[in-house]
Amino acid sequence: MPATPPRPPRRGRRLLTVAAGLATVAALTAASPAAAHGSPSHGSPSHGSPSHGSPSHGGRSHGHPGHGHNSRTVDVQLLSFNDFHGNLETPAGSSGSLSELQPDGTTKTVAAGGVEYLASSLRTARKGHPYSVTAAAGDLIGASPLLSGLFHDEPTIEAMNKLDLDVTSVGNHEFDEGAAELARMQNGGCHPTDGCYEKGKKFQGADFPYLTANVTKEKTGKPLLKPYWVWKKNGVKVGFIGVTLEGTADIVTAEGVKGLRFHDEVETINKYAKELDKQGVKSIVALLHEGGLPASGAYNYDCDSPAAGGGVSGPIVDIAKGITPKVDALVTGHTHNAYVCTIPDPAGNPRLVTSASSFGRLYTDTTLTYDRRTRDIVRTKVGSANHVVSRTQPKAADMTALISRWNTLAAPVANQAVGYIAADIPRGTSPEQPLGDLIADAQLAHAKTLDPSTSLALMNPGGIRADLVHAASGAEGDGVVTYGEAFTVQPFSNTVNLVTLTGAQLVSALQEQVSGPNEASPKILQVSDGLTYTLDLTKSGAARVDTSSIRLNGAAIDPAASYRVAMNSFLSGGGDGFTSLGKGTSPLVGSDDLKAFNDYLTANSSSATPLAPPKADRITVVK
């Protein structure tokens, strides 16, 4: 499609010196509130009315009352987020809320997220900060809801441009459609198969660079896109190095990373930090799509309360401890958690490591005090906190217009028929749900196309958000399932993941449905055809699962054997208290769960032979 009207010149950052490499694309991370460390951010509110228009980065001069141009130090505001995953509209259910720790030790749930509110939050936070840069840590796109995913995430890149995102690292989901599609996200152009979506308009690509320092082309050994980028203003320089997790190739389809190599995060960051240092760039931030696991799910949990960085575990801890002291802060992602921690660098000095949850529910506001004489960050004065993207503030009008425009384009697809049903297929209130069985069967069928050895699929009941209703919701006719109706059932854009579990781990997972954190309120997994067992609700804890009754295609589960199991990405991460599922090995990431569901409906139903509701007879319940 023809080009959109030209954007005004982006801030002075467009003139920055960047390392060799091809053009890059931007990624953003959703920030989550956490405790402040060191000096507090200077007047960076998380709520309030948005500024008018979209201030340009690198050239903001709002009369910041802090350090003047002639003083030795100047405060650089770093706003960051991660794992946005195309959540333009306000996310639903648990994807649109956060757990907030209260002064009395209790927690409450707060609504958060939506790009209309994220834009307002960032624009408000920038007020009064002439030195402000906005960065993300990957997975801005991929596994996205209908509004963005339907258009290969062009709407999200457009929104990120309007947000004035400066720079991002890539995440694993940036490779869902391959390196060529990532390059299109960066450079623009119509989709090679679907073409242009709006008459007279051509996708312009990202205004910000995607950084791929540890992703190289096998043929040349050179980074796929730029490895780093330098923000400059009035002599102040901050370098950004962007990497994704080394294990990206293991969690995306082989086609998506064909011809690419993924290198060690620590070695790569240290290599380019040394290169930046030689160029006179002493202030450096790493944008790293890998993360940690805080001890608490509350966004404002103080992970330094046990000791510096003592409240967080996971891959990021060892990575942070190995990254050269030349790097002053780490913005991380991937685990969808919220934390602001001070993990010591190899020299034993405190260094900030932050993550802002996911889906645009949080943003991180970090104050980097820059010393003009040393050209480095004064670590003792660095402060950071996560802030809720509140829905009580005014919406950003330009984002509202963007969502409306793309929703109009999406309507014809949303109304398309994807399958046919003979009667209502409900979620129900029983432990086993007809709709749950159907979704599990669909995920098993999808998984078998990726790995024919897949044995079974498991689905969490909380991921099923609505019944599949026989009565028409519009003009499509009774019994017709539309794309929009199927999307309402599964709106979270999880991917279908494959992992290998031992028989013992599989049995433990079934016991975790009714024990531990799930004992008081059981979470009964929906199972694919072929898996059967008895659930005895007259007993307590793990004993409710009759382990002697568990059968897979009629055979008992062998504790020592290996089973290939399909489940959504939420469960494969140990969500809902299923820690055993989080221990799976040999992971493989498939398509999103909605695609798997729709493909199954299309393949197994027609107007003449509509799909009958499953009998829901796989779990025998004793009450």
Side-chain angles (χ1 to χ4, degrees):
M1 48 188 147
T4 53
R7 296 184 182 90
R10 294 296 296 274
R11 42 199 167 255
R13 65 179 177 79
R14 286 326 229 171
L15 304 177
L16 305 184
T17 304
V18 188
L22 303 177
T24 52
V25 186
L28 67 123
T29 34
S32 82
H37 299 268
S39 322
S41 302
H42 298 285
S44 50
S46 59
H47 313 297
S49 57
S51 58
H52 299 290
S54 182
S56 62
H57 298 201
R60 302 185 187 93
S61 53
H62 301 293
H64 176 41
H67 310 293
H69 179 66
N70 296 322
S71 66
R72 176 168 170 173
T73 61
V74 59
D75 285 346
V76 177
Q77 179 190 55
L78 172 62
L79 301 176
S80 59
F81 57 97
N82 50 279
D83 296 274
F84 184 73
H85 289 291
N87 278 264
L88 298 172
E89 297 179 292
T90 52
S94 60
S95 296
S97 64
L98 296 162
S99 176
E100 182 177 78
L101 188 64
Q102 302 301 297
D104 63 359
T106 62
T107 59
K108 76 171 185 179
T109 300
V110 294
V115 77
E116 295 161 297
Y117 301 110
L118 178 61
S120 292
S121 290
L122 294 177
R123 291 167 183 172
T124 299
R126 290 172 188 145
K127 290 181 178 180
H129 294 269
Y131 294 83
S132 185
V133 57
T134 303
D139 276 7
L140 293 175
I141 60 174
S144 302
L146 173 70
L147 184 60
S148 186
L150 183 62
F151 303 104
H152 298 279
D153 282 310
E154 290 182 18
T156 293
I157 297 299
E158 181 183 343
M160 293 301 105
N161 289 342
K162 290 179 179 292
L163 281 178
D164 279 335
L165 181 66
D166 282 297
V167 61
T168 185
S169 64
V170 291
N172 52 288
H173 279 285
E174 263 79 24
F175 294 95
D176 283 352
E177 296 189 49
E181 178 65 1
L182 174 57
R184 189 179 76 89
M185 292 292 99
Q186 179 72 85
N187 302 319
C190 298
H191 190 269
T193 302
D194 294 342
C196 300
Y197 297 113
E198 296 179 280
K199 185 177 181 180
K201 291 185 178 181
K202 178 182 178 182
F203 176 55
Q204 297 296 292
D207 285 350
F208 48 90
Y210 263 113
L211 303 181
T212 60
N214 70 328
V215 185
T216 60
K217 298 178 181 179
E218 289 182 347
K219 290 184 178 180
T220 64
K222 295 181 178 179
L224 176 65
L225 300 174
K226 294 177 182 178
Y228 60 80
W229 175 83
V230 181
W231 177 86
K232 296 180 181 178
K233 184 178 180 184
N234 295 334
V236 176
K237 300 179 184 178
V238 180
F240 291 85
I241 302 168
V243 301
T244 187
L245 69 155
E246 183 182 6
T248 290
D250 298 324
I251 58 174
V252 300
T253 60
E255 190 63 28
V257 294
K258 187 177 181 180
L260 301 177
R261 292 190 64 189
F262 294 81
H263 302 274
D264 182 84
E265 305 94 336
V266 174
E267 292 177 2
T268 301
I269 291 171
N270 290 350
K271 169 187 174 181
Y272 287 110
K274 184 177 181 180
E275 187 171 317
L276 284 168
D277 183 70
K278 287 182 178 179
Q279 294 177 11
V281 180
K282 307 295 184 180
S283 300
I284 302 172
V285 176
L287 305 177
L288 172 61
H289 192 72
E290 179 61 289
L293 306 170
S296 169
Y299 78 81
N300 54 339
Y301 165 71
D302 182 0
C303 73
D304 287 342
S305 57
V312 67
S313 60
I316 196 60
V317 177
D318 287 338
I319 290 173
K321 290 178 178 178
I323 291 175
T324 173
K326 295 180 186 296
V327 174
D328 297 293
L330 279 65
V331 176
T332 71
H334 187 56
T335 60
H336 290 203
N337 288 308
Y339 47 84
V340 175
C341 303
T342 52
I343 300 175
D345 67 17
N349 298 317
R351 178 167 57 191
L352 273 173
V353 179
T354 71
S355 177
S357 188
S358 59
F359 308 147
R361 293 175 290 176
L362 296 172
Y363 72 93
T364 311
D365 190 333
T366 301
T367 299
L368 301 173
T369 299
Y370 180 92
D371 187 319
R372 290 184 180 276
R373 186 177 301 173
T374 65
R375 293 174 289 176
D376 207 348
I377 300 301
V378 183
R379 290 272 194 94
T380 57
K381 295 185 179 297
V382 171
S384 184
N386 281 328
H387 299 278
V388 176
V389 175
S390 169
R391 296 182 192 170
T392 62
Q393 63 186 313
K395 297 179 180 180
D398 57 339
M399 296 299 173
T400 302
L402 180 150
I403 290 171
S404 176
R405 192 179 95 245
W406 286 102
N407 264 329
T408 298
L409 292 171
V413 175
N415 295 331
Q416 286 182 359
V418 296
Y420 301 84
I421 56 176
D424 288 351
I425 305 181
R427 290 181 292 172
T429 56
S430 299
E432 184 179 359
Q433 307 171 14
L435 186 51
D437 286 357
L438 176 60
I439 292 172
D441 288 347
Q443 293 190 3
L444 177 59
H446 174 71
K448 282 183 174 292
T449 67
L450 304 173
D451 185 346
S453 70
T454 305
S455 301
L456 69 147
L458 303 170
M459 175 63 189
N460 61 307
I464 307 170
R465 308 306 299 179
D467 298 336
L468 207 54
V469 180
H470 184 264
S473 60
E476 73 276 10
D478 291 348
V480 179
V481 180
T482 66
Y483 191 98
E485 290 170 339
F487 180 82
T488 300
V489 169
Q490 291 192 101
F492 296 125
S493 296
N494 289 307
T495 52
V496 178
N497 291 9
L498 281 72
V499 299
T500 297
L501 296 173
T502 65
Q505 289 171 328
L506 178 57
V507 171
S508 292
L510 295 178
Q511 292 174 321
E512 286 165 356
Q513 301 175 109
V514 289
S515 62
N518 294 330
E519 182 166 2
S521 180
K523 293 182 174 67
I524 307 304
L525 296 169
Q526 308 301 287
V527 299
S528 58
D529 188 28
L531 183 65
T532 60
Y533 69 96
T534 297
L535 184 66
D536 189 345
L537 298 181
T538 67
K539 298 181 179 180
S540 61
R544 293 170 176 170
V545 175
D546 181 356
T547 56
S548 66
S549 70
I550 303 173
R551 295 287 186 275
L552 180 60
N553 299 320
I557 298 295
D558 180 353
S562 295
Y563 297 87
R564 201 71 167 139
V565 183
M567 64 195 77
N568 64 34
S569 47
F570 174 73
L571 284 177
S572 67
D576 270 350
F578 291 99
T579 55
S580 294
L581 298 182
K583 297 176 181 178
T585 59
S586 303
L588 177 64
V589 178
S591 296
D592 65 85
D593 52 8
L594 178 60
K595 183 179 188 305
F597 187 49
N598 288 345
D599 286 351
Y600 187 84
L601 290 172
T602 301
N604 292 278
S605 69
S606 68
S607 57
T609 57
L611 193 67
K615 296 179 180 179
D617 58 359
R618 301 166 190 179
I619 304 174
T620 300
V621 180
V622 177
K623 297 183 179 180

